Amino acid sequence: MKPVILPAIVAMVVAGPALAEDRFEVPLKTVRSAMHRATIEPAASGFVSGAQVQPFNDGMIYQVYAAPGLVTDITLQPGEILVAVASGDTARWVIGDTTSGSGDGKQMHVLVKPVAANLLTNLVITTDRRAYHLRLASTAATALSSMRWTYPQDELLALRRKADAAQAAAPVATGLAIEQLNFGYAITGDRPAWRPVRVFDDGAKTYVEFSTSLATGEAPPLFVVSTDGTPELVNYRLRGRFYVVDRIFDAAELRLGLKKQQVVRIDRIGPSAKRRDA
């Protein structure tokens, strides 16, 4: 029986790796395909002088070419704080970091240099803002001098913040003459954090002014109270910390909450109650 069993066992042992390779052939092919699609090669249009500049996209893999005897500088975003650097091959790649500049312009630099040509590994750089994934390949003599990124999402956020700041700094209305403003409004009711600090009108529009805390909390809807006491929603727009209502009303209410509703009432007490210390 042994001479029969032994060849069978040998056949299973020999066939084992082949069976395992067949088993993982499809997922491995999927991984290779995904890594290939995610890898961004240096492009002629991406060079700024000797630096390769790419728009940063989270999850993409950036190809870096290096060469023995040459240092490739991987430059991070100004102000970005380096957390960690990890490579798949630290024996044959020399990897270090340094800084340049100071204050808001201070930048981290990750420096890479292979000890030989025809080496391939990866590099992961983590910072306080993002993670960079790079594929390092060494050639005999051709290397990138430096590589850095632009950050479209950060630039878009900066533009939005600038626009928001400009809108907040813009006057709530133009052409208002303070002597024509009517401050004759009484504010009564509950005292939530969003309670208005004053209400006035210019004869055509009504302005409900809040404190700056309105930007950090939930804004209450405004209801105009009809002559029979029924509250009705009114069209208004938010400008900075003001509600601007395109009409004059005699009574209105700000309401917020469901079970325990907070209500602040605004009553117009006549144009005679004017003051100029807005």
Side-chain angles (χ1 to χ4, degrees):
M1 294 296 291
K2 289 182 180 179
V4 177
I5 296 174
L6 186 58
I9 295 174
V10 172
M12 291 176 63
V13 171
V14 172
L19 291 173
E21 187 175 345
D22 291 342
R23 177 184 175 187
F24 295 112
E25 180 179 0
V26 173
L28 289 177
K29 184 178 180 181
T30 301
V31 171
R32 286 193 295 269
S33 177
M35 295 301 100
H36 177 73
R37 291 195 305 271
T39 301
I40 299 177
E41 292 279 354
S45 60
F47 278 98
V48 177
S49 297
Q52 174 69 191
V53 182
Q54 294 278 2
F56 181 81
N57 194 346
D58 192 27
M60 302 303 290
I61 303 168
Y62 297 90
Q63 179 69 60
V64 175
Y65 292 101
L70 298 174
V71 173
T72 297
D73 174 13
I74 300 168
T75 308
L76 306 185
Q77 187 179 29
E80 196 167 14
I81 299 173
L82 184 65
V83 175
V85 179
S87 174
D89 184 354
T90 56
R92 297 180 297 175
W93 289 81
V94 179
I95 301 171
D97 62 82
T98 187
T99 62
S100 66
S102 61
D104 294 338
K106 185 176 181 180
Q107 284 183 278
M108 296 297 306
H109 301 258
V110 177
L111 310 177
V112 298
K113 182 178 70 172
V115 299
N118 302 317
L119 300 179
L120 184 66
T121 189
N122 72 319
L123 184 70
V124 179
I125 303 171
T126 57
T127 74
D128 61 333
R129 299 177 184 176
R130 58 186 61 87
Y132 300 84
H133 296 267
L134 302 100
R135 185 176 185 268
L136 305 182
S138 65
T139 70
T142 302
L144 286 174
S145 172
S146 65
M147 184 169 188
R148 56 187 171 87
W149 291 265
T150 58
Y151 303 88
Q153 291 185 345
D154 287 9
E155 293 165 6
L156 180 60
L157 288 173
L159 287 174
R160 287 178 177 173
R161 285 195 293 266
K162 185 177 180 180
D164 290 343
Q167 183 177 3
V172 64
T174 57
L176 293 180
I178 194 167
E179 64 273 7
Q180 296 177 355
L181 299 181
N182 169 37
F183 292 92
Y185 289 83
I187 302 172
T188 58
D190 295 325
R191 294 184 172 274
W194 47 260
R195 182 184 172 101
V197 294
R198 83 183 86 199
V199 180
F200 59 92
D201 70 74
D202 61 1
K205 298 182 180 66
T206 304
Y207 302 87
V208 183
E209 183 182 358
F210 297 87
S211 67
T212 55
S213 63
L214 183 70
T216 60
E218 190 174 359
L222 178 68
F223 299 85
V224 167
V225 180
S226 63
T227 54
D228 62 0
T230 304
E232 301 174 350
L233 274 172
V234 63
N235 290 328
Y236 60 91
R237 58 188 179 278
L238 178 64
R239 288 291 306 273
R241 54 193 178 94
F242 289 84
Y243 283 2
V244 181
V245 187
D246 291 325
R247 55 170 289 190
I248 306 297
F249 56 75
D250 291 325
E253 289 180 347
L254 293 159
R255 297 168 174 257
L256 189 63
L258 296 175
K259 292 183 179 179
K260 189 177 180 181
Q261 193 173 62
Q262 293 177 305
V263 180
V264 174
R265 185 177 174 92
I266 302 169
D267 288 287
R268 187 169 186 261
I269 55 179
S272 59
K274 292 183 179 180
R275 60 185 178 88
R276 299 189 178 186
D277 57 341

